[in-house]
Amino acid sequence: MTLHIVTTSPFSNATFKSVFARCSENDGIVLIQDGVYALNHADVVNQLTGLQQTLGVACFVLADDLIARANQALPATTNTDMIKRISMEDFVELTLNYKTTISW
């Protein structure tokens, strides 16, 4: 079980392709910093949904970073059951609950 911590925007590089290729069953993905912009990228959101359905990959977004980037609400097209808003405390707990973490 690996927690993938994504800090970069899908609009500026191909990091998400690498993350998706490395995901295994029951991994988790946390969108932080500019990674929260992924929620405005339909292809990325569709791929996140697919990973959840096929591999059970959990997806989280740091609420403070959504607010800091003037994106206080998840876009209407985002399945809020699939992407959970978390606090900084929740983020720290996630890093303890997963066997390994990879920062992207």
Side-chain angles (χ1 to χ4, degrees):
M1 282 185 23
T2 300
L3 182 65
H4 302 270
I5 303 167
V6 183
T7 62
T8 58
S9 167
F11 297 103
S12 63
N13 61 46
T15 298
F16 279 86
K17 286 182 183 181
S18 298
V19 172
F20 296 152
R22 292 284 309 267
C23 278
S24 299
E25 192 171 347
N26 298 319
D27 281 359
I29 297 173
V30 180
L31 306 174
I32 66 171
Q33 299 173 359
D34 286 349
V36 302
Y37 290 124
L39 299 179
N40 298 82
H41 195 290
D43 289 339
V44 172
V45 172
N46 289 337
Q47 288 180 302
L48 289 171
T49 301
L51 284 172
Q52 183 186 42
Q53 293 170 347
T54 59
L55 296 175
V57 173
C59 186
F60 308 93
V61 61
L62 193 61
D64 288 345
D65 287 338
L66 279 176
I67 293 167
R69 283 151 181 83
N71 193 8
Q72 295 181 24
L74 296 175
T77 58
T78 303
N79 181 347
T80 55
D81 293 332
M82 194 264 308
I83 299 175
K84 306 283 187 221
R85 290 173 72 131
I86 60 170
S87 66
M88 184 57 77
E89 292 81 12
D90 296 329
F91 175 60
V92 172
E93 188 173 327
L94 281 174
T95 63
L96 297 173
N97 291 337
Y98 280 84
K99 185 178 178 181
T100 56
T101 59
I102 299 175
S103 295
W104 298 89

